[in-house]
Amino acid sequence: MRLMGKFLAVFTLMLLAVSGYSGLFFLDNISSYGQAIDNLIILVTLIVMPAFVICVSLIVYFVIRYKRREGAEKALYETGGHGSKLAKKILIIDGIVLALDIVILFVAIPTWMEMEVKKVPTQGVVDVRVTARQFDFDFHYAPGPDGKWFTKDDVKITGELRIPVDKKVVLHMTSFDVIHDFWAKNLRLKQDIVPGRTISRWFQVNKSLIEKIHGFKATDWDTKVNVRDVISNGNVMTSILADDIHNAKTEKDKKEAKEDLKDAKEELEKVYKKNLLGKRLFEIACAEICGSGHYKMNAWLVVEKQDAFDQWLKKKVAVNAKKYEVVAHHSSQGKSISFPIK
Amino acid sequence: MSAAAHGHHDLGFFKKYMFSTDHKVIGMQYLITGIIMAFLGGYLAVKFRSQLAFPELALLSGSEYNSSVTMHGLIMVFWVAMPILVAAFGNFLIPTMIGCDDMAYPTLNMISYWLFLVSAFVAIASLLIGGYGGAWTLYPPLSANMAEASGGGAYVIGKVPGLFSGGSLIITAVALEIIAFLIGGLNFLVTTINMRAPGMSIWDLPFVVWMIDLAVVVFMFSVGPLVAGAIMLLFDRTLGTGFFDPNRGGDPILFQHLFWFFGHPEVYVVLFPSMGFVGEAITTFSRKPLFGFKKVIWAAIVASILSFIVWAHHQFIAGIDPHAAVFFTIFTVLISVPFAAMMFSFIATLWKGSIELTSAMLWALGFIITFLFGGVTGIYLGTLTSDVVFHDTYFVVAHFHYTFVPITIFGGMTAIYFWFPKFVGKNFSEFWGKVHFWISFISFNAIFLPMFIPGTAGQHRRIAGYTEATFPAMAVEPYATIRIISTVAFWVLFIAQVIWIIHMIVKFYTGEKAVKNPWKANTLEWTCDSPPPHGNFATYPTVYRGPYEYSVPSRDSDYWPQDEKG
């Protein structure tokens, strides 16, 4: 019984440690199936980490306990062959390993079925076509009166995925050139984008999860989030980083470039704060190496309430109808395609 | 090598050391080439780790960074792990442990090394013209089209980079290297099957010989698709074919299947020899038989078979059929069972032993602990649902290095410290061996353990710098500090290896002559002189028992060499 009590105490401590670990190091989850994934990770941790700790403790204990000493008796002659009691015990432990593996699979596979295998919803969803290219994401909406793709009222926008809350969003992803990857950390959604095929994945951002984010206020829904602001400030900073410091010939130039960088950083921080980074503005990254500019290939996810989203789209349609020539659907065979300018 | 001192006739410098057909000289050539390439790979890591920790210094551009990480990966897998673990120690150990004078085909053995050396030079040539920057997995269409040697390069439909570009050269080098190991591996198998000492059944073979041969079998079965894929990719780059470029009618995912069909078994190709070294060290320094010797070998065989049906766990989110992913995740998670059984056997071998903590034993125990951690973190990645979060993040980097560094460095060092007195013939300093171990063990964990934290948050790989402008969620604390911790720890690890190489070189020249059997081990190589002369044995041994008869109760001595009568 005493052993049992000790075991329970240790297990509780580990549970606390693990939940502390996950709370510290997961980025805030905002998608409807993200919590299931996070829970699975915690479950796996609770299974494998005690196993690891037990094995290492045994090794350390054996090394200390059975260290060779003067005049000590000979080692035990134990081959672990037929009739060995220890071998039978180890067989039971192998069985436990197998059982725990099966537990993990039983928890993991249903979530996978929900996320990936279940047919992608088509009714009452927001469809977005995503085209990845070196080194940007283009997002393409088909709103407007006709609701059809590749007509004049389509909205195409680079580097910004704006979506309504509490509604299923379906991404139809394809690549213009090489393999990219759509990695929205807060959505727990990652998908390679492969040229020559279109892969559809869905997600839904829950309002309740957004409002649970630390420091989020109800009034934050009304703030206008301006991604152009973020991108232009970011571009300034990237150029200072990559070129000026690298190319600076004299120490003075280098010092100036570094000071510029410091200023740009402060400026950017203000912009992020204004744009509610981590509250309604989230980063999207390309997670598959795609060439020399891979290190800066990103996009931004903006979450809006439904009415604000509709208004935004309406405004974009009006602007776009004037500004852009809509390009016919490009086939995967590489016909020419043009993208709207930022 | 002082083989000449005992040789029948003087062969001259070139025949003796350069174009030698003696398996020990060839083993030494493989080992030294591997170590030189390891320092090259390590130097690349110094470069990109420094860039990563201090992006504001702008040490590397985007393409230089890509090229450094790619070449680091390729060099460490193909020109360090493979030659040191499989080729070098396969050459040293197989003939001496089975009690024969040399490999079955000594000339082929020499050709194998020279082909390998050519492949290493081609790889270095690729690095010198800028290398390749599309990750060591060589995924097309990026690899099929990327023109610029630097690994940058925009995608242009139908652009053919040609043979003299970093990418084409490194693919050629990989293909050459594979041919070299096929020749060498064939030799290992033929030698083990045909040239065993009288009385030696397959169950009298030492564990490490079993494991090296099993690695060779896995290698031979898995490598075909990779060679096919590499040649098609080379055609795409040089002749303008379109096997893997959808804009020319190809399929990029096909290459991923060909690559990982080899890529996963490849992990076991390098793992098995390493487990062999560790097994030898643990039984010898615990003075106990290897626990469940036959069962461990059967577990390894089961794991080898399973290793051929798990490859798509690298592609869960690559766009393969999600139903197929379920199949692959089941076998991936199940493969933990045979490996757990093998690890339990190692731990059980320590139980009630008489443990001596020599340098080799420390490295072996370090292997078990670190590799176990690599194994358990693999469960997160093999489980398809959590892999969605971890794929292509630093969690993968950390997990991968918790398997490959134990395999290559911890396993390799176990072997080097264990057999140094035998094959170099000099004693090394246990003090410096232990210093080397502790610095390496601590700094290795300080590099990769913290890396799981940004990995869990989703910090994605192959990024030259997480700036506030592009990835603000990753540019903040604690992630920025963790990157600096890892980098500083890596510098320490690198310096520890410099200390090690100095120690080894000094002892090579000044160390006192080693005795025949310093560890009182049972296997046949310890009955040769140190170092073994040309032809290895003065009289060829006959085998009377298995390799692990330690602490037999009826005997006074706690070991019982395989060739001792009675």
Side-chain angles (χ1 to χ4, degrees):
Chain A
M1 269 333 272
R2 255 182 64 212
L3 198 73
M4 194 71 187
K6 267 185 196 165
F7 178 77
L8 274 175
V10 170
F11 193 77
T12 319
L13 270 176
M14 287 202 50
L15 199 76
L16 285 173
V18 169
S19 51
Y21 170 83
S22 54
L24 256 176
F25 303 123
F26 284 135
L27 294 190
D28 292 315
N29 163 51
I30 57 170
S31 87
S32 54
Y33 49 63
Q35 195 58 49
I37 299 179
D38 291 359
N39 289 345
L40 173 71
I41 293 168
I42 293 172
L43 173 78
V44 174
T45 309
L46 285 175
I47 289 174
V48 301
M49 287 306 151
F52 174 72
V53 170
I54 290 169
C55 287
V56 173
S57 315
L58 276 178
I59 293 170
V60 173
Y61 173 74
F62 287 163
V63 167
I64 295 168
R65 171 70 181 74
Y66 301 115
K67 208 173 160 191
R68 194 176 304 171
R69 288 177 184 88
E70 279 298 314
E73 55 183 308
K74 256 170 59 173
L76 178 77
Y77 181 76
E78 161 74 277
T79 59
H82 289 297
S84 157
K85 274 185 191 163
L86 184 60
K88 275 180 194 140
K89 278 182 198 158
I90 289 181
L91 204 63
I92 293 170
I93 299 172
D94 287 338
I96 296 173
V97 172
L98 181 66
L100 291 174
D101 282 351
I102 291 169
V103 168
I104 292 172
L105 288 174
F106 263 90
V107 177
I109 292 174
T111 315
W112 176 262
M113 290 294 183
E114 163 85 8
M115 286 159 48
E116 303 252 355
V117 180
K118 211 169 86 177
K119 219 162 169 266
V120 174
T122 51
Q123 293 299 313
V125 299
V126 178
D127 282 293
V128 186
R129 284 176 185 256
V130 183
T131 306
R133 62 190 161 87
Q134 288 178 326
F135 299 98
D136 266 313
F137 293 98
D138 296 316
F139 299 99
H140 180 173
Y141 298 78
D146 58 0
K148 284 184 188 149
W149 292 101
F150 311 112
T151 54
K152 274 207 162 176
D153 62 359
D154 285 11
V155 169
K156 289 186 177 182
I157 185 161
T158 297
E160 175 178 353
L161 174 60
R162 205 171 276 252
I163 50 125
V165 78
D166 278 341
K167 195 163 183 186
K168 283 201 168 73
V169 179
V170 181
L171 303 176
H172 306 280
M173 296 183 264
T174 191
S175 166
F176 175 63
D177 37 46
V178 299
I179 299 177
H180 297 277
D181 183 291
F182 181 93
W183 173 215
K185 294 164 191 177
N186 301 76
L187 296 176
R188 311 288 188 262
L189 170 61
K190 188 184 279 149
Q191 176 64 54
D192 276 7
I193 307 182
V194 184
R197 55 178 86 179
T198 303
I199 299 169
S200 299
R201 293 284 311 274
W202 71 273
F203 66 89
Q204 176 179 328
V205 174
N206 286 357
K207 195 174 166 220
S208 56
L209 289 169
I210 294 272
E211 290 179 343
K212 249 191 346 204
I213 293 172
H214 180 72
F216 191 90
K217 300 186 291 290
T219 49
D220 285 344
W221 284 115
D222 307 323
T223 313
K224 195 164 164 265
V225 176
N226 186 354
V227 173
R228 297 302 101 184
D229 223 18
V230 173
I231 290 176
S232 55
N233 278 277
N235 283 346
V236 171
M237 225 184 99
T238 316
S239 70
I240 293 173
L241 248 186
D243 303 333
D244 292 8
I245 299 179
H246 201 64
N247 298 337
K249 289 207 174 66
T250 63
E251 276 303 306
K252 202 179 147 232
D253 288 354
K254 211 168 202 170
K255 211 177 154 195
E256 266 173 25
K258 278 186 179 167
E259 264 165 28
D260 287 352
L261 181 68
K262 214 176 143 198
D263 294 345
K265 262 187 188 176
E266 277 167 15
E267 184 64 24
L268 196 63
E269 237 164 66
K270 277 183 214 154
V271 172
Y272 279 141
K273 206 167 180 189
K274 209 174 77 195
N275 283 295
L276 299 171
L277 179 71
K279 291 173 184 163
R280 276 178 53 213
L281 179 75
F282 303 94
E283 66 183 54
I284 295 169
C286 171
E288 185 67 58
I289 192 161
C290 56
S292 57
H294 169 62
Y295 73 96
K296 59 180 181 192
M297 182 165 169
N298 67 347
W300 302 93
L301 174 74
V302 182
V303 184
E304 297 271 24
K305 274 189 172 167
Q306 182 73 47
D307 49 348
F309 173 75
D310 291 340
Q311 267 177 25
W312 171 80
L313 212 52
K314 214 186 249 171
K315 211 170 131 194
K316 282 278 164 198
V317 170
V319 174
N320 274 12
K322 276 186 232 152
K323 214 170 167 184
Y324 300 126
E325 180 199 349
V326 176
V327 178
H329 172 53
H330 68 288
S331 73
S332 60
Q333 300 307 309
K335 284 178 192 159
S336 76
I337 181 167
S338 69
F339 294 96
I341 310 120
K342 276 181 191 175
Chain B
M1 308 290 300
S2 61
H6 306 271
H8 306 290
H9 48 90
D10 195 9
L11 295 163
F13 178 80
F14 272 96
K15 271 231 110 141
K16 212 157 57 191
Y17 298 114
M18 300 290 286
F19 297 98
S20 170
T21 55
D22 186 309
H23 70 100
K24 300 176 293 293
V25 178
I26 293 171
M28 199 56 87
Q29 287 170 330
Y30 265 121
L31 184 64
I32 291 170
T33 317
I35 290 169
I36 292 170
M37 293 303 273
F39 276 93
L40 183 64
Y43 164 70
L44 289 171
V46 170
K47 281 206 323 194
F48 68 72
R49 276 302 330 174
S50 305
Q51 159 68 26
L52 195 54
F54 309 105
E56 284 160 31
L57 296 178
L59 298 168
L60 300 176
S61 71
S63 19
E64 285 164 353
Y65 181 87
N66 287 351
S67 159
S68 302
V69 291
T70 303
M71 299 305 282
H72 166 79
L74 284 164
I75 286 175
M76 288 303 196
V77 172
F78 288 106
W79 286 279
V80 178
M82 294 283 285
I84 292 181
L85 303 176
V86 186
F89 283 97
N91 263 306
F92 283 138
L93 298 177
I94 288 177
T96 49
M97 280 189 150
I98 67 173
C100 66
D101 58 343
D102 206 327
M103 286 287 177
Y105 308 121
T107 315
L108 267 187
N109 205 15
M110 178 189 79
I111 292 172
S112 158
Y113 172 73
W114 284 97
L115 257 179
F116 169 76
L117 191 68
V118 170
S119 80
F121 280 126
V122 177
I124 291 170
S126 163
L127 187 64
L128 288 178
I129 61 170
Y132 168 69
W136 79 285
T137 48
L138 303 168
Y139 280 6
L142 188 65
S143 58
N145 290 283
M146 215 162 50
E148 283 169 34
S150 63
Y155 171 89
V156 178
I157 295 163
K159 196 165 170 183
V160 177
L163 184 61
F164 293 102
S165 59
S168 304
L169 285 184
I170 199 74
I171 295 167
T172 312
V174 169
L176 279 173
E177 194 255 15
I178 282 165
I179 298 169
F181 283 133
L182 278 174
I183 297 173
L186 181 84
N187 221 337
F188 292 179
L189 290 185
V190 174
T191 309
T192 318
I193 291 166
N194 290 323
M195 297 176 69
R196 296 194 305 274
M200 188 177 234
S201 79
I202 57 165
W203 295 111
D204 296 329
L205 280 174
F207 182 54
V208 64
V209 176
W210 263 104
M211 295 305 263
I212 291 174
D213 283 343
L214 200 55
V216 169
V217 172
V218 172
F219 178 74
M220 285 180 164
F221 275 110
S222 65
V223 81
L226 177 73
V227 175
I231 290 174
M232 284 152 90
L233 194 57
L234 204 57
F235 283 174
D236 275 12
R237 289 183 65 93
T238 52
L239 304 178
T241 56
F243 291 112
F244 300 124
D245 186 352
N247 282 318
R248 287 181 276 160
D251 183 2
I253 307 254
L254 172 63
F255 181 83
Q256 299 182 10
H257 285 296
L258 297 175
F259 182 87
W260 288 116
F261 184 85
F262 164 79
H264 197 80
E266 165 70 10
V267 179
Y268 301 149
V269 172
V270 291
L271 167 64
F272 285 156
S274 222
M275 287 184 92
F277 309 147
V278 169
E280 297 293 329
I282 283 183
T283 58
T284 308
F285 295 117
S286 304
R287 315 310 291 170
K288 275 192 68 185
L290 186 63
F291 189 86
F293 177 52
K294 276 191 190 179
K295 286 173 204 152
V296 176
I297 286 165
W298 279 112
I301 291 171
V302 169
S304 314
I305 294 167
L306 282 177
S307 78
F308 285 93
I309 46 171
V310 298
W311 80 85
H313 65 221
H314 298 269
Q315 299 164 262
F316 284 151
I317 59 145
I320 62 167
D321 179 1
H323 295 88
V326 174
F327 169 88
F328 283 106
T329 200
I330 290 172
F331 287 103
T332 303
V333 172
L334 290 187
I335 210 168
S336 63
V337 176
F339 279 113
M342 290 163 89
M343 287 295 158
F344 293 151
S345 281
F346 284 173
I347 298 172
T349 306
L350 298 172
W351 177 65
K352 293 199 172 175
S354 172
I355 296 168
E356 189 182 2
L357 285 179
T358 58
S359 304
M361 183 65 164
L362 279 177
W363 282 101
L365 294 170
F367 168 91
I368 297 178
I369 292 172
T370 47
F371 185 77
L372 263 174
F373 199 70
V376 299
T377 50
I379 302 279
Y380 293 86
L381 299 167
T383 309
L384 73 191
T385 321
S386 45
D387 183 61
V388 171
V389 171
F390 295 132
H391 182 87
D392 265 330
T393 66
Y394 270 78
F395 195 99
V396 176
V397 178
H399 157 75
F400 176 87
H401 286 87
Y402 260 102
T403 57
F404 253 75
V405 176
I407 289 170
T408 313
I409 299 193
F410 286 74
M413 288 300 171
T414 305
I416 288 171
Y417 281 108
F418 193 69
W419 283 291
F420 186 90
K422 175 52 61 189
F423 290 103
V424 178
K426 301 285 172 67
N427 286 339
F428 59 87
S429 149
E430 281 289 343
F431 172 78
W432 284 107
K434 286 174 189 173
V435 168
H436 175 212
F437 169 77
W438 283 111
I439 299 178
S440 303
F441 183 77
I442 293 167
S443 59
F444 162 72
N445 284 294
I447 301 168
F448 293 107
L449 200 56
M451 231 180 241
F452 286 104
I453 295 167
T456 309
Q459 178 181 301
H460 51 301
R461 302 168 72 175
R462 295 157 183 154
I463 301 296
Y466 303 84
T467 60
E468 289 85 345
T470 46
F471 306 110
M474 295 293 116
V476 294
E477 300 301 344
Y479 313 121
T481 309
I482 285 171
R483 288 192 287 270
I484 294 174
I485 292 173
S486 292
T487 299
V488 173
F490 177 70
W491 294 339
V492 175
L493 180 69
F494 193 77
I495 291 165
Q497 309 319 305
V498 175
I499 295 173
W500 162 74
I501 197 85
I502 293 170
H503 170 207
M504 290 285 121
I505 291 170
V506 167
K507 288 298 169 187
F508 175 79
Y509 287 109
T510 66
E512 57 182 300
K513 196 171 161 21
V515 295
K516 263 189 181 182
N517 192 356
W519 317 126
K520 298 191 167 54
N522 287 343
T523 43
L524 294 179
E525 81 275 26
W526 302 104
T527 61
C528 310
D529 281 336
S530 299
H534 194 68
N536 298 340
F537 296 92
T539 48
Y540 288 100
T542 307
V543 169
Y544 297 98
R545 65 190 62 76
Y548 301 116
E549 297 298 302
Y550 290 106
S551 305
V552 179
S554 58
R555 285 168 57 86
D556 288 337
S557 153
D558 67 355
Y559 70 115
W560 202 355
Q562 280 189 285
D563 66 332
E564 197 176 292
K565 229 172 175 171

